[in-house]
Amino acid sequence: MKFKLITAVVAATFAGSVAAKDVSYNNASIGWAQSTFDVDGGSDVDLDGISGGLSFDLAKNWYLKLDATKQSGEESGIDLDMDLTTVNLGFNTAVSANTDFIAELGYARSDVEANFGGFSSSEDDSAANAVLGFRGMATDNFEWGASVQHMDFDDSLTFLNLEGRYFFTDTFSIGLEGKFESDVNIYALEARFDF
């Protein structure tokens, strides 16, 4: 009886340490985002606002991921609003004990509205959205991510995405993410809850 109890405790401890190194695909996040656009003439347009996301497993190695940002700002008396939403089907597979390869394919939608002196103009666009990269646990408390993302809008965008995330508990973390493109940089600070 004692042997079975000791075996169960050792197995539970081992399982817990393995789970701590797993990358989660079941989570919800909310945070703040800022975008900087380099426009013609060398000036920058800055927008900021909220961001959020939801990801959940569909089956072994497959997940669904939704991300959205809602940002606004003012430049030279023009009020700007931008919403960006992506919905992706993702695939992941382990390439080492602590690192996953990820591939996502889905849909992106952008809504931009400008208001100036009572006049408004808006533009909606949709595109294919593809992501290829890696996610992993550097330590039990630190997750990292690096990927390339392509959005095939009329003016297509290709981002280098970098992410670092610190876990305060097994299910709660704070992350900093950067998306870098020649004319657009997006930064986000998010709280994430894994489930």
Side-chain angles (χ1 to χ4, degrees):
M1 183 67 171
K2 281 185 179 180
F3 179 74
K4 287 183 182 179
L5 181 60
I6 291 170
T7 303
V9 170
V10 170
T13 302
F14 179 75
S17 66
V18 171
K21 294 186 183 297
D22 287 346
V23 176
S24 172
Y25 294 91
N26 292 300
N27 53 65
S29 62
I30 188 165
W32 169 85
Q34 180 183 20
S35 299
T36 300
F37 297 86
D38 183 17
V39 295
D40 295 336
S43 62
D44 290 341
V45 175
D46 295 323
L47 305 177
D48 61 13
I50 61 171
S51 64
L54 179 65
S55 175
F56 52 90
D57 286 329
L58 296 174
K60 182 175 172 58
N61 299 105
W62 295 94
Y63 61 96
L64 187 65
K65 186 175 180 190
L66 301 92
D67 288 300
T69 60
K70 185 174 184 64
Q71 300 179 343
S72 61
E74 183 180 340
E75 185 68 30
S76 303
I78 301 173
D79 291 323
L80 299 169
D81 295 299
M82 181 187 75
D83 298 343
L84 178 62
T85 305
T86 61
V87 180
N88 279 2
L89 176 65
F91 172 79
N92 68 82
T93 186
V95 293
S96 75
N98 301 328
T99 304
D100 285 358
F101 168 76
I102 60 167
E104 300 177 4
L105 184 61
Y107 170 82
R109 180 174 177 83
S110 172
D111 299 312
V112 179
E113 183 175 347
N115 294 290
F116 177 74
F119 297 98
S120 67
S121 174
S122 63
E123 182 177 338
D124 302 333
D125 201 357
S126 59
N129 180 45
V131 178
L132 291 175
F134 298 91
R135 291 178 63 197
M137 299 299 294
T139 68
D140 287 348
N141 297 96
F142 185 76
E143 179 182 336
W144 62 273
S147 62
V148 175
Q149 179 177 14
H150 181 76
M151 297 181 185
D152 192 24
F153 291 114
D154 288 340
D155 295 324
S156 62
L157 301 168
T158 301
F159 289 96
L160 171 64
N161 301 332
L162 300 174
E163 178 182 4
R165 177 170 303 283
Y166 184 82
F167 282 85
F168 293 92
T169 70
D170 289 344
T171 57
F172 174 72
S173 62
I174 297 290
L176 181 62
E177 181 179 357
K179 294 177 175 284
F180 306 99
E181 200 262 351
S182 59
D183 295 325
V184 183
N185 291 327
I186 303 172
Y187 303 94
L189 179 64
E190 292 186 331
R192 193 178 86 186
F193 303 88
D194 292 359
F195 50 86

